[in-house]
Amino acid sequence: MIVLKSQREIDAMKQAGEILAACHREIAKRIKPGITTWEIEEFVDDFLKKNNATPEQKGYKGYQYATCASINDEICHGFPRKEPLKEGDIVTIDMVVRYNGALADSAWTYAVGKVSEETDHLLKVTKEALYKGIEQAVVGNRIGDIGHAIQTYVESEGLSVVRDFIGHGIGAVIHEKPDVPHYGLPGKGSRIKEGMVFTIEPMVNIGRYQSKMDDNGWTARTIDGKYSAQYEHTLAITKDGPVILTNQD
Ligand code: MF3
Ligand code: CO
């Protein structure tokens, strides 16, 4: 069942999203060679506390951290750790913020210092793919239109779309209906309606799209060791179009 949200619920999620976006802007300033994802984790914990918000991921299905920190070939759900980031690395910081009972979810990939041209291309295409998906998130379209736009664009740039992890409705809990794959066929899937709130969060790989799971049972990484990036926003569907609840600009 897809739960449609009232304007009041969307406004509350927007407030959570604003805190999350402000947190990402602070992270952007701190990412440089030598910093650890453990320091980012501690920064986020502290930032949320100061803003009367809480990290929803901590304790979710047994996950232990406020952030997911996925480095280089890690696709998603990397653990924050005490190993310093190096020039040329990329790191995706993903988190869900709860504020006043409402949730928002956003992930962003950061370049550590100067990255290779190939990596830079990966970041640009992945971010653009998110916005191409958002463009399709309009009343009357279907969920498949979003994935189709993302997949077509990403593959036209010679990169691949991860299939094993997808976007999702969000509301009272992190994961609700609808499922939002970042691949697929136009005109397929549920019709997009006013009041839906869901994430679009394409994970894009330089090499093959398949993933493998680490022994920790959480962290997914590429099978060929090539890099993977991700950008994620939480969106509310209104009759005037999609509203990005986690906008950083
Ligand atoms: N933020 C993630 C998403 O985009 C959810 C992470 S689940 C967790 O779907 F357990 F790792 F927190
Ligand atoms: Co997320």
Side-chain angles (χ1 to χ4, degrees), residues 20 23-24 27 37 40-41 44 48 55-58 63 65-70 75-78 80 91-97 104-110 165-166 168 170 174-175 199-203 230-234 246:
L20 206 177
C23 190
H24 268 305
I27 292 169
T37 50
I40 299 292
E41 166 77 10
V44 167
L48 297 185
E56 184 72 4
Q57 292 186 160
K58 206 182 270 189
Y63 191 74
Y65 310 98
T67 61
C68 296
S70 307
I75 295 170
C76 62
H77 306 158
V91 59
T92 304
I93 305 294
D94 187 5
M95 64 185 125
V96 181
V97 168
D105 186 358
S106 178
W108 215 252
T109 300
Y110 298 95
F165 301 90
I166 60 180
H168 51 90
I170 176 167
I174 299 182
H175 293 121
T199 71
I200 302 180
E201 50 180 302
M203 283 143 274
Q230 180 183 25
Y231 294 87
E232 172 184 25
H233 276 312
T234 299
T246 46

Side-chain angles (χ1 to χ4, degrees), residues 79-93:
F79 294 169
R81 69 207 87 152
K82 289 182 174 151
E83 165 197 332
L85 295 170
K86 308 180 302 299
E87 180 104 24
D89 285 348
I90 55 173
V91 59
T92 304
I93 305 294

Side-chain angles (χ1 to χ4, degrees), residues 2-15 17 102-105 130 133-139 143 146 168-171 176 178 180 192-200 232-247:
I2 301 177
V3 183
L4 301 178
K5 276 79 182 178
S6 65
Q7 189 57 49
R8 176 198 286 235
E9 286 168 313
I10 291 171
D11 290 344
M13 295 180 86
K14 180 115 198 296
Q15 288 190 358
L103 300 180
D105 186 358
L130 166 61
I134 292 172
E135 258 173 44
Q136 296 298 319
V138 294
V139 173
I143 291 291
I146 296 171
H168 51 90
I170 176 167
E176 289 186 351
V180 185
I192 297 171
K193 294 205 175 105
E194 187 180 348
M196 284 185 176
V197 178
F198 55 78
T199 71
I200 302 180
E232 172 184 25
H233 276 312
T234 299
L235 314 165
I237 308 306
T238 73
K239 57 181 182 317
D240 304 320
V243 176
I244 300 174
L245 302 182
T246 46
N247 200 359

